[in-house]
Amino acid sequence: MVRKAIIPAAGFGTRFLPATKSSPKEMLPIVDTPTIQYVVEEAVQSGITDILMIIGKGKRAIEEHFDRNFELEHELDAKGKQKELDAIRRISSLANIHFVWQKEMNGLGDAISYAKYHVGDEPFAVLLGDTVMQATPEPVTRQLLNVYERYQDSVVAIEEVAPERVSRYGVIDGKNIDDDLYLVKQFVEKPKPEEAPSNLVIASRYVFSPDIFYYLDETPAGVNNEIQITDAMRLMLQKRAIYGLCFNGQRYDIGNKLDFVKAGILFGLSSDDISEDLKKWVKELAQTL
């Protein structure tokens, strides 16, 4: 039973400057909800309510978002704005959220290693704080947990991308063993398209057995002189099986400008407040293109 999740959210967000100069990229809103709240809600909908966030300099707004704001609550209550009051009170009661600060930007692997004492000897999920998943009927993290519970070994979310885009990601070489499930044979970090073993790439969600921390301790600095989680998984493959699941759903990397715009439109289409007006605008826009 996986009870804990780790959300790394310490990066600078350089792809979205200047917006992220003083505001965390994870707080960029999709319609009216910060990106990282969608990530927390995915964990909760997957059955996990014990969450550790790894944050860094300039990320205090994330802590404040998940804390209560009594002055704002009082103001909303006094003005009879019950809908808004219920919405912000819900945020602080979503899950048991803890925070730890990454002392320096030293890679995703290093960020995850900060969770070692919180996790202990338990398996855990990792959800990147700047990536939103849209999936039904089960959240992507729940899909991974189903695989972990079946095989009792680590599993990563994977997706197909165009071959020319593989150099942006960690890529798997694997054997298809069941529908959309692969037994990983190797990980390759950001290969050239002609050298990539496949076009199946790691997609921002993981479930690890606790021994990943041993392999992180043994992992030397890699790309950008940082501790890469892909390198630790490559070491782990020498002793343990790792699976890759082509999940059912859609991924939006909010650090990517196009994905950010797409997510705003698609999530807006399901918003009760603006969906009809937005649908009309999209139709009008399509006619001008």
Side-chain angles (χ1 to χ4, degrees):
M1 184 68 178
V2 178
R3 304 184 305 121
K4 298 179 179 180
I6 310 305
I7 300 180
F12 286 122
T14 53
R15 291 180 297 168
F16 236 99
L17 287 169
T20 51
K21 179 177 181 290
S22 59
S23 178
K25 63 178 177 178
E26 296 84 5
M27 290 297 293
L28 291 172
I30 302 174
V31 188
D32 58 359
T33 301
T35 296
I36 199 163
Q37 184 175 326
Y38 285 108
V39 178
V40 169
E41 288 176 345
E42 180 187 334
V44 173
Q45 291 162 9
S46 300
I48 298 174
T49 56
D50 186 341
I51 297 171
L52 178 68
M53 291 192 188
I54 316 299
I55 60 175
K57 182 177 175 57
K59 304 284 184 165
R60 183 72 70 181
I62 297 175
E63 289 186 278
E64 293 180 353
H65 180 71
F66 290 101
D67 195 7
R68 291 188 66 177
N69 184 328
F70 292 101
E71 293 81 3
L72 178 57
E73 289 180 23
H74 176 76
E75 185 72 12
L76 293 173
D77 188 37
K79 293 182 177 180
K81 295 187 175 182
Q82 192 62 43
K83 180 180 178 181
E84 292 83 356
L85 179 60
D86 291 343
I88 68 163
R89 281 181 172 169
R90 173 179 169 271
I91 295 169
S92 60
S93 60
L94 279 171
N96 297 316
I97 301 177
H98 318 271
F99 296 89
V100 65
W101 289 67
Q102 187 181 20
K103 295 180 177 64
E104 58 179 322
M105 300 300 102
N106 197 27
L108 177 58
D110 178 68
I112 292 173
S113 70
Y114 277 73
K116 181 176 182 178
Y117 296 105
H118 183 82
V119 168
D121 294 327
E122 298 184 37
F124 62 99
V126 175
L127 301 84
L128 299 195
D130 61 356
T131 303
V132 172
M133 301 292 207
Q134 200 173 37
T136 55
E138 290 186 313
V140 172
T141 297
R142 181 67 257 174
Q143 295 174 42
L144 296 182
L145 294 177
N146 293 340
V147 175
Y148 184 87
E149 290 166 5
R150 179 179 177 184
Y151 292 98
Q152 296 296 300
D153 273 309
S154 299
V155 53
V156 300
I158 56 175
E159 66 176 344
E160 291 189 45
V161 300
E164 63 269 17
R165 296 178 60 206
V166 295
S167 60
R168 306 178 188 179
Y169 303 97
V171 180
I172 77 156
D173 180 8
K175 177 184 178 182
N176 183 235
I177 59 172
D178 184 15
D179 294 331
D180 294 324
L181 187 65
Y182 290 77
L183 180 62
V184 178
K185 295 191 290 185
Q186 190 55 272
F187 293 101
V188 182
E189 182 67 19
K190 299 180 179 179
K192 295 178 181 178
E194 62 273 15
E195 297 174 356
S198 74
N199 66 333
L200 296 171
V201 304
I202 302 171
S204 306
R205 297 293 186 265
Y206 313 74
V207 175
F208 288 119
S209 57
D211 51 351
I212 187 64
F213 294 116
Y214 167 79
Y215 296 103
L216 282 169
D217 288 342
E218 298 296 311
T219 300
V223 176
N224 298 325
N225 202 34
E226 296 176 339
I227 306 300
Q228 303 292 340
I229 189 62
T230 308
D231 292 339
M233 290 191 293
R234 191 180 296 115
L235 286 177
M236 195 178 193
L237 270 177
Q238 298 175 16
K239 299 289 185 180
R240 296 286 300 266
I242 300 179
Y243 297 89
L245 177 68
C246 279
F247 61 90
N248 178 27
Q250 180 65 46
R251 177 178 67 91
Y252 300 99
D253 175 3
I254 303 306
N256 175 288
K257 295 178 179 67
L258 179 59
D259 272 13
F260 177 71
V261 173
K262 284 181 180 179
I265 294 173
L266 293 172
F267 279 69
L269 290 172
S270 62
S271 168
D272 293 337
D273 295 335
I274 64 171
S275 59
E276 291 305 316
D277 288 340
L278 183 56
K279 288 176 184 177
K280 180 180 177 181
W281 175 79
V282 169
K283 289 179 181 178
E284 292 173 350
L285 179 62
Q287 291 172 358
T288 67
L289 298 177

